[in-house]
Amino acid sequence: MPFINQAWMAYGVLGGLESGLMALPVGLLIYLLFHRIGMAQGWPSGISIGWAFPVSVLLAGGQDVWNIFYFQFAPLNSYQLLQIQLNAVHDVDSLYMRVLFELLGVAMGIATGWLAMRYVAGRRATQGH
């Protein structure tokens, strides 16, 4: 998460799981927000999911995604600059795994929200509201 200091997080798989578990409620809440907006606008569920996913990924894993992008495309012309940038990243060895878990956490949060909204809509339909 870009606004959270990751120094307290664990390393390796455990750190990836922590990132994914933090991303899950972000995906859920952002999906519920877009679902509410979509209901007012008459959107189908796919549009709410389509907007919720990238916004949630930016909020939940924006710093890690940016680090991957930066290391792939930024011109690191000196060893010292590379060393400074790598020192600023928490657990460089597991960066890609952490991003994977963040993506999965966001997807699971959105799926949970979508299933909950379908359940609520089904309950309303059977009760005649």
Side-chain angles (χ1 to χ4, degrees):
M1 297 187 152
F3 47 85
I4 291 181
N5 181 5
Q6 295 179 335
W8 61 270
M9 290 177 59
Y11 290 88
V13 176
L14 187 57
L17 288 172
E18 288 174 349
S19 293
L21 287 175
M22 287 191 305
L24 193 142
V26 172
L28 174 66
L29 293 174
I30 297 297
Y31 172 74
L32 293 176
L33 174 72
F34 276 105
H35 177 76
R36 183 146 177 105
I37 293 169
M39 290 293 288
Q41 300 294 324
W43 295 349
S45 295
I47 293 176
S48 298
I49 293 169
W51 277 103
F53 189 79
V55 171
S56 299
V57 167
L58 286 175
L59 289 175
Q63 182 177 2
D64 292 331
V65 172
W66 171 253
N67 286 332
I68 287 176
F69 178 80
Y70 183 81
F71 289 130
Q72 292 296 320
F73 297 109
L76 298 170
N77 297 328
S78 69
Y79 178 73
Q80 290 81 14
L81 177 61
L82 176 62
Q83 192 172 21
I84 290 169
Q85 294 299 325
L86 287 174
N87 288 338
V89 176
H90 172 75
D91 193 14
V92 177
D93 296 332
S94 300
L95 181 63
Y96 285 89
M97 180 179 54
R98 201 166 53 244
V99 169
L100 174 67
F101 279 111
E102 288 166 350
L103 292 172
L104 292 174
V106 164
M108 288 173 47
I110 290 172
T112 302
W114 180 76
L115 289 172
M117 290 299 104
R118 284 190 50 109
Y119 176 76
V120 168
R123 295 278 309 223
R124 286 183 182 158
T126 58
Q127 292 177 356
H129 290 256

